Amino acid sequence: FQYLKRFDQGCDLDTFRYEALSVEGRPAECLQLFLLHCGIMDPSWAELRNFTWFLNIQLRDCEASVFCNPAFVQDTLKGF
């Protein structure tokens, strides 16, 4: 949710890092963003769960990768 919220606001996601156990927004706002970005017109709860699970794994791996660390790559991969 934190990434999607910042993406919609046009924030620079290259420097953002998820803070564990931090809470932002309301549950309705979270659900609205998931529905907007999941890519399915009328998703089931299972489809929303799969979307959030997959997105979470991808973002966690991205944060852990040295190749996505802005301090390491500097400006060579801006926006990648």
Side-chain angles (χ1 to χ4, degrees):
F1 170 74
Q2 293 178 11
Y3 273 95
L4 291 176
K5 181 178 177 181
R6 284 164 178 78
F7 176 76
D8 279 355
Q9 293 171 345
C11 296
D12 181 14
L13 298 177
D14 292 340
T15 58
F16 176 71
R17 294 289 177 258
Y18 168 73
E19 294 180 33
L21 305 177
S22 64
V23 177
E24 292 184 16
R26 300 176 330 275
E29 182 184 10
C30 179
L31 181 58
Q32 184 179 18
L33 275 178
F34 289 158
L35 289 169
L36 181 66
H37 290 281
C38 80
I40 300 172
M41 282 301 268
D42 187 19
S44 67
W45 284 112
E47 290 167 327
L48 281 177
R49 183 209 169 273
N50 289 338
F51 168 71
T52 57
W53 175 79
F54 178 77
L55 183 62
N56 186 52
I57 288 177
Q58 294 300 307
L59 292 170
R60 185 182 61 207
D61 290 348
C62 180
E63 284 187 353
S65 173
V66 68
F67 298 106
C68 296
N69 183 336
F72 177 75
V73 297
Q74 296 174 0
D75 66 351
T76 58
L77 297 173
K78 186 72 176 160
F80 178 67

